Amino acid sequence: MATIPKREIRRAGLPISVLGFGAASVGNLYRPVTDEDARATLLAAMDAGLTYVDTAPRYGHGLSERRVGDVLRGRDGVVLSTKVGRLLTPVPGLKGDGERHGFRSPMPFEQLYDYSHDGILRSYEDSLQRLGLAHIDILYVHDIGPMTHGDDDARTFEQLTIGGGFRALERLRQSGAITAFGLGVNEWRICLRAMEHVDLDVVLLAGRYTLLEQTALESFLPAALARQVSVVVGGAYNSGILATGVRGPGPHYYDYGEAPPEVVERVRRLEALAERHETPLAAAALSFCLAHPAVVSVIPGLGSVERVKKTLDLYDTPIPAAFWAELRAENLIDPRAPLPGDEA
Ligand SMILES: NC(=O)c1ccc[n+]([C@@H]2O[C@H](COP(=O)([O-])OP(=O)(O)OC[C@H]3O[C@@H](n4cnc5c(N)ncnc54)[C@H](OP(=O)(O)O)[C@@H]3O)[C@@H](O)[C@H]2O)c1
């Protein structure tokens, strides 16, 4: 296997591997993972050269952070991001691992949004304790914006601006407590809004720059390039459909739910094209994101050692230039999207 290259989060001078580890899965996203399997999965990924791990308090109500921290403790050379904006509050008497907010975790906590100055600092300090680590490299403001907050969007955003949330992050960065900060979101307009108020180093954008959807090209990605804001791509399979394709019986998952017919049809065309070029659709989905010059890493969710191996195989799969040429010729992609090989 080839070594996995690194790209730099430019404003922070922080190199991360282009293939990273999305640790929502080891917080028991949709299904339980044992402690042993979570540990083995993280170790397999790191041994293979994935030197960037992304977690969050939300992932398993603290479970993902605990598991990630236990593996990273005492280990050098791995860059860690976690998130701020949700505090975990205890729920006495809560037992079992029934699904809550998508996670099958027994951690007895509920999540409380708080993007204020003190809320951000408390979230950061709580994460240090759960991780059992003395340093966090990157903090993302998690799920700010109307997609999550609806009518409460203005108030929650003001917690960051007037309420000092951004100021708290700037202080943490200035003091060296963290190396970089940004947003971790499923929408891109909020990133432009945030960039009017604060210098972000990096944005984790999930689902909005994929083989299926390139709306981030309209204005966010050009703005990120112009301001040297690095971009990490999450949800590169749009919740699964770009990994599984649509040949099977379904349900086909797209953006945290069942895919609408027009999405299924578009994936059907992508899948047919991939098949003509003997290319796994999931390999093209990973490779596509990394062709954009603002993108520094793509972070699939990895919930088992087998999934790590499969993902490494996908990453290593050569994709014929003719696949990319036909993708463009058939208008299956925004014509402005840079493709692998364009620069050659
Ligand atoms: N707001 C935010 O900051 C935000 C939002 C979303 C994501 N993220 C980050 O991005 C990471 C990845 O996001 P994600 O887990 O939503 O999306 P993803 O990696 O695109 O995976 C979504 C689904 O694809 C399936 N899948 C992946 N590889 C596959 C393969 N080779 N074959 C078949 N199915 C496959 C997985 O199925 P299985 O269940 O079988 O594994 C999973 O359910 C997260 O862990 C998190 O770190 C951040």
Side-chain angles (χ1 to χ4, degrees), residues 21-25 29-31 54-55 59 83 142-143 184-186 204 206 233-241 243-244 256 282 299-303 307 310-311 314:
F21 191 110
S25 42
L29 180 60
Y30 304 128
R31 62 166 171 264
D54 173 64
T55 183
Y59 301 162
K83 310 201 179 78
H142 203 181
D143 291 340
V185 286
N186 290 276
L204 192 183
V233 172
Y237 306 130
N238 282 111
S239 296
I241 199 164
T244 58
Y256 311 108
I299 54 166
L302 301 171
R307 182 52 53 80
K310 171 85 183 157
T311 305
L314 292 170

Side-chain angles (χ1 to χ4, degrees), residues 198-266:
V198 71
D199 282 333
L200 304 177
D201 302 295
V202 54
V203 164
L204 192 183
L205 182 65
R208 304 285 78 81
Y209 193 66
T210 72
L211 203 52
L212 198 50
E213 177 185 330
Q214 301 90 42
T215 50
L217 278 174
E218 279 168 31
S219 48
F220 168 62
L221 284 169
L225 265 186
R227 297 180 60 162
Q228 300 199 348
V229 177
S230 298
V231 176
V232 168
V233 172
Y237 306 130
N238 282 111
S239 296
I241 199 164
L242 285 172
T244 58
V246 293
R247 291 273 163 77
H252 308 298
Y253 290 108
Y254 167 76
D255 274 9
Y256 311 108
E258 201 163 331
E262 65 277 13
V263 169
V264 173
E265 183 46 36
R266 201 171 167 77

Side-chain angles (χ1 to χ4, degrees), residues 133-151:
L133 297 176
H135 181 77
I136 292 166
D137 300 291
I138 304 167
L139 281 181
Y140 294 116
V141 178
H142 203 181
D143 291 340
I144 191 74
M147 202 184 245
T148 302
H149 296 288
D151 291 345

Side-chain angles (χ1 to χ4, degrees), residues 57-301:
R58 171 177 149 73
Y59 301 162
H61 325 299
L63 183 65
S64 174
E65 286 193 326
R66 286 175 66 109
R67 288 173 163 174
V68 166
D70 284 350
V71 171
L72 259 54
R73 198 168 310 115
R75 220 181 151 99
D76 291 328
V78 179
V79 172
L80 171 70
S81 57
T82 190
K83 310 201 179 78
V84 288
R86 280 182 177 93
L87 298 176
L88 299 184
T89 59
V91 184
L94 199 153
K95 291 197 177 65
D97 67 353
E99 186 172 317
R100 285 182 295 128
H101 310 294
F103 292 89
R104 295 277 310 275
S105 163
M107 298 282 278
F109 298 100
E110 245 320 319
Q111 313 189 0
L112 183 77
Y113 292 113
D114 190 341
Y115 298 97
S116 67
H117 179 272
D118 290 359
I120 296 285
L121 289 183
R122 162 126 185 245
S123 183
Y124 159 72
E125 281 158 13
D126 286 357
S127 284
L128 285 177
Q129 304 294 328
R130 269 190 303 270
L131 287 156
L133 297 176
H135 181 77
I136 292 166
D137 300 291
I138 304 167
L139 281 181
Y140 294 116
V141 178
H142 203 181
D143 291 340
I144 191 74
M147 202 184 245
T148 302
H149 296 288
D151 291 345
D152 212 17
D153 166 52
R155 187 191 67 84
T156 44
F157 193 72
E158 277 182 7
Q159 288 190 315
L160 287 170
T161 52
I162 301 165
F166 283 142
R167 204 169 62 244
L169 288 161
E170 282 171 329
R171 283 189 180 152
L172 288 172
R173 182 172 61 188
Q174 217 164 19
S175 70
I178 60 172
T179 312
F181 75 81
L183 308 187
V185 286
N186 290 276
E187 51 188 319
W188 52 264
R189 284 187 182 83
I190 190 69
C191 306
L192 294 174
R193 234 162 97 200
M195 282 154 71
E196 287 168 19
H197 294 270
V198 71
D199 282 333
L200 304 177
D201 302 295
V202 54
V203 164
L204 192 183
L205 182 65
R208 304 285 78 81
Y209 193 66
T210 72
L211 203 52
L212 198 50
E213 177 185 330
Q214 301 90 42
T215 50
L217 278 174
E218 279 168 31
S219 48
F220 168 62
L221 284 169
L225 265 186
R227 297 180 60 162
Q228 300 199 348
V229 177
S230 298
V231 176
V232 168
V233 172
Y237 306 130
N238 282 111
S239 296
I241 199 164
L242 285 172
T244 58
V246 293
R247 291 273 163 77
H252 308 298
Y253 290 108
Y254 167 76
D255 274 9
Y256 311 108
E258 201 163 331
E262 65 277 13
V263 169
V264 173
E265 183 46 36
R266 201 171 167 77
V267 174
R268 199 183 307 285
R269 291 181 63 198
L270 287 166
E271 205 175 356
L273 171 67
E275 197 171 81
R276 283 202 295 284
H277 293 278
E278 294 176 10
T279 293
L281 184 60
L286 292 179
S287 184
F288 167 73
C289 307
L290 288 169
H292 195 285
V295 173
V296 290
S297 186
V298 58
I299 54 166

Side-chain angles (χ1 to χ4, degrees), residues 5-9 14-18 289-293 295-297:
K6 294 181 182 180
R7 293 184 189 170
E8 197 170 76
I9 295 176
L14 184 65
I16 64 175
S17 56
V18 298
C289 307
L290 288 169
H292 195 285
V295 173
V296 290
S297 186

